[in-house]
Amino acid sequence: PQIDSYDNNADYTIHCSLPGVKSKDIEVIYDKEHNQVIIKGKYLESCKQSTENITIRERWSGSFERKITLPLTQNQTISSDDIKASLKSGVLEVTILKGKKLENKLKRIPVAT
């Protein structure tokens, strides 16, 4: 499916065109290892007419999958709790809040005595 992706100050936003797809047929996954949002689903046949009468067939049915790699900096993190998805008028909107930048890869933990 076609997407538009936005890099805003506070978040990343993805709009994905999914006309006729119901929310129960969509799955949104965050792959932390690859910094990717994966959109999976399926288009169902909208019409159960005989294939004998078809003169033009441009719409298709079946499964789809789209992977969108997020442009994270090396020291930026995202929590799956900060990802929201909603479907309205055939457009899936996925909003990913930008994580806080980590100061260092290592963080010293104080030891209590």
Side-chain angles (χ1 to χ4, degrees):
Q2 297 173 331
I3 66 160
D4 292 330
S5 179
Y6 305 91
D7 184 349
N8 304 309
N9 287 334
D11 62 33
Y12 299 107
T13 304
I14 299 166
H15 291 158
C16 183
S17 296
L18 298 173
V21 179
K22 296 180 181 174
S23 60
K24 67 180 182 82
D25 296 322
I26 301 170
E27 187 175 7
V28 179
I29 301 164
Y30 177 59
D31 179 353
K32 186 174 184 173
E33 184 179 345
H34 296 103
N35 285 330
Q36 291 182 330
V37 172
I38 303 167
I39 300 170
K40 294 181 176 184
K42 57 185 165 187
Y43 290 105
L44 301 176
E45 281 192 56
S46 61
C47 185
K48 300 285 184 193
Q49 268 195 305
S50 167
T51 56
E52 297 171 7
N53 299 334
I54 294 178
T55 57
I56 297 173
R57 183 169 196 132
E58 294 179 346
R59 299 183 305 147
W60 58 276
S61 60
S63 298
F64 62 84
E65 179 176 308
R66 184 73 192 257
K67 295 180 180 181
I68 301 102
T69 302
L70 300 173
L72 298 180
T73 60
Q74 189 175 16
N75 58 352
Q76 193 175 31
T77 61
I78 289 193
S79 167
S80 57
D81 294 336
D82 293 334
I83 301 174
K84 306 290 182 226
S86 63
L87 182 67
K88 187 186 280 186
S89 300
V91 177
L92 175 70
E93 181 177 270
V94 181
T95 304
I96 305 109
L97 294 178
K98 289 184 178 179
K100 296 178 181 174
K101 293 184 178 180
L102 302 174
E103 295 301 320
N104 295 311
K105 288 189 177 188
L106 301 175
K107 182 180 177 186
R108 185 174 297 257
I109 308 297
V111 179
T113 56

